């Protein structure tokens, strides 16, 4: 695994060493934000994202996409893997005009626009509960909804929308795989007590680090390290792992998390 350490000039986080645990494909933006404040960033992916092997289920859903009233994307990953599946399975890459799209968060909206489609709905609360709340003010009884999801996605959306009378199809479009190890540079920095802050941007990033290192060893290595969580769901997972969360932003985005980290160290 390639070790990646980045740093930039002086700033609020100058001299601070921060671990980013996002998947390698997603770490760049977050790292750049932290670097812009002067942080030394260790990219330490604890997640590897791969396409789902549930091809038949996905193909069936995509074949009948025009029958869905709504399509829901809860992450940039879901958007990208959805359109990747459309291409690989030989389907039209355009979403039918009759199908409305709900996205969670501005980054998912940007990803969707890159494929030529504007979102019709974006909840104010950037988590699964926010999706259910947004749809509760819309009459979706009897409507068919397609929710391409990660293999470890919570069932909040499926159960919530079914409770509102909708029929939800939720094929696993991508999987979250645990890497075999973390980069040696990050591990060495942890062992030498050089890390100031570690960031978790999903429950899986925290859970997977515990699996890679072993829970007790992880807790030992993170003793005295500021733990930054992107939102309440991730914080709950950290607490279940006996990690005390020191930083949680009001806006559940990497930009919000970056600003919260900066405020913490000011």
């Amino acid at each position: 695994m390639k070790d990646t350490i980045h740093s930039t000039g002086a700033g609020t986080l100058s001299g601070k060493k921060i671990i980013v645990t996002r998947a390698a494909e997603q770490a760049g933006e977050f790292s750049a934000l932290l670097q812009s404040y002067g942080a030394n960033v260790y990219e330490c992916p604890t997640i590897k994202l791969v396409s789902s092997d549930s091809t038949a289920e996905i193909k069936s859903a995509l074949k009948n996409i025009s029958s869905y009233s709504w399509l829901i994307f809860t992450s940039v990953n879901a958007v990208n893997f959805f359109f990747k599946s459309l291409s690989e399975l030989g389907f039209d890459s355009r979403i039918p005009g009759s199908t409305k799209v709900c996205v969670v968060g501005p980054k998912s909206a940007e990803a969707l626009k890159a494929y030529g489609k504007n979102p019709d709905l974006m909840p104010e609360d950037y988590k699964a509960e926010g999706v259910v709340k947004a749809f509760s003010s819309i009459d979706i009884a009897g409507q068919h909804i397609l929710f391409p999801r990660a293999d470890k996605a919570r069932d909040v959306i499926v159960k919530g929308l079914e409770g509102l009378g909708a029929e939800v199809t939720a094929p696993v479009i991508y999987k979250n795989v645990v890497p075999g190890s973390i980069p040696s540079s990050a591990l060495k920095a942890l062992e030498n007590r050089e890390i100031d802050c570690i960031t978790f941007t999903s429950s899986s990033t925290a859970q997977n680090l515990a699996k890679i290192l072993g829970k007790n060893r992880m807790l030992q290595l993170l003793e005295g390290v500021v733990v930054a969580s992107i939102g309440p769901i991730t914080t709950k997972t950290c607490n279940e792992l006996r990690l005390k969360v020191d930083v949680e932003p009001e806006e559940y985005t990497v930009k919000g998390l970056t600003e919260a980290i900066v405020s913490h160290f000011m």
Side-chain angles (χ1 to χ4, degrees):
M1 182 180 295
K2 183 180 178 181
D3 296 347
T4 309
I5 307 176
H6 300 296
S7 65
T8 61
T12 309
L13 298 177
S14 181
K16 300 299 182 186
K17 295 184 177 181
I18 301 178
I19 288 180
V20 169
T21 56
R22 299 191 95 189
E25 303 90 336
Q26 297 179 301
E29 178 197 2
F30 193 14
S31 295
L33 283 169
L34 293 167
Q35 291 162 31
S36 72
Y37 289 96
N40 294 332
V41 178
Y42 289 72
E43 291 184 2
C44 177
T46 61
I47 285 181
K48 183 178 180 181
L49 303 176
V50 298
S51 296
S52 169
D53 48 15
S54 303
T55 307
E57 183 183 16
I58 296 168
K59 192 170 185 177
S60 175
L62 298 182
K63 183 179 179 180
N64 298 301
I65 191 169
S66 60
S67 68
Y68 294 99
S69 300
W70 283 92
L71 178 58
I72 299 174
F73 295 117
T74 56
S75 68
V76 171
N77 296 323
V79 174
N80 290 334
F81 276 100
F82 174 82
F83 282 97
K84 179 182 178 183
S85 294
L86 281 176
S87 174
E88 291 179 347
L89 294 173
F91 291 103
D92 191 330
S93 62
R94 294 169 298 181
I95 296 174
S98 59
T99 303
K100 294 181 180 180
V101 183
C102 169
V103 299
V104 174
K107 289 301 177 183
S108 297
E110 287 179 18
L112 181 66
K113 289 177 183 178
Y115 291 100
K117 179 74 173 178
N118 291 316
D120 299 282
L121 177 65
M122 185 169 72
E124 293 181 4
D125 185 4
Y126 302 159
K127 57 181 187 290
E129 288 82 358
V131 173
V132 177
K133 182 178 179 181
F135 274 102
S136 67
S137 61
I138 302 172
D139 183 9
I140 57 172
Q143 293 188 5
H144 295 268
I145 295 178
L146 179 60
F147 171 37
R149 61 186 179 87
D151 60 330
K152 297 181 181 178
R154 296 184 299 144
D155 60 4
V156 171
I157 290 177
V158 174
K159 288 186 175 179
L161 299 189
E162 287 179 344
L164 294 172
E167 294 183 28
V168 184
T169 300
V172 173
I173 202 88
Y174 69 98
K175 298 190 298 183
N176 170 342
V177 177
V178 183
S181 62
I182 63 172
S184 58
S185 57
L187 181 59
K188 183 177 179 180
L190 283 168
E191 291 175 338
N192 292 339
R193 304 295 177 185
E194 297 173 355
I195 296 299
D196 298 288
C197 176
I198 187 166
T199 64
F200 296 113
T201 52
S202 68
S203 290
S204 293
T205 56
Q207 291 166 335
N208 290 1
L209 183 63
K211 290 177 182 176
I212 294 168
L213 296 176
K215 183 178 174 180
N216 290 335
R217 188 180 183 212
M218 177 189 72
L219 292 173
Q220 181 184 26
L221 291 174
L222 294 183
E223 187 175 346
V225 176
V226 171
V227 175
S229 160
I230 199 167
I233 303 302
T234 302
T235 294
K236 182 174 181 290
T237 298
C238 288
N239 291 338
E240 290 170 351
L241 292 168
R242 301 207 312 275
L243 282 173
K244 177 183 175 295
V245 172
D246 304 286
V247 178
E248 181 188 298
E250 292 184 6
E251 180 181 292
Y252 315 144
T253 63
V254 292
K255 182 175 182 293
L257 183 55
T258 300
E259 292 172 352
I261 292 170
V262 169
S263 295
H264 178 84
F265 283 107
M266 285 183 69

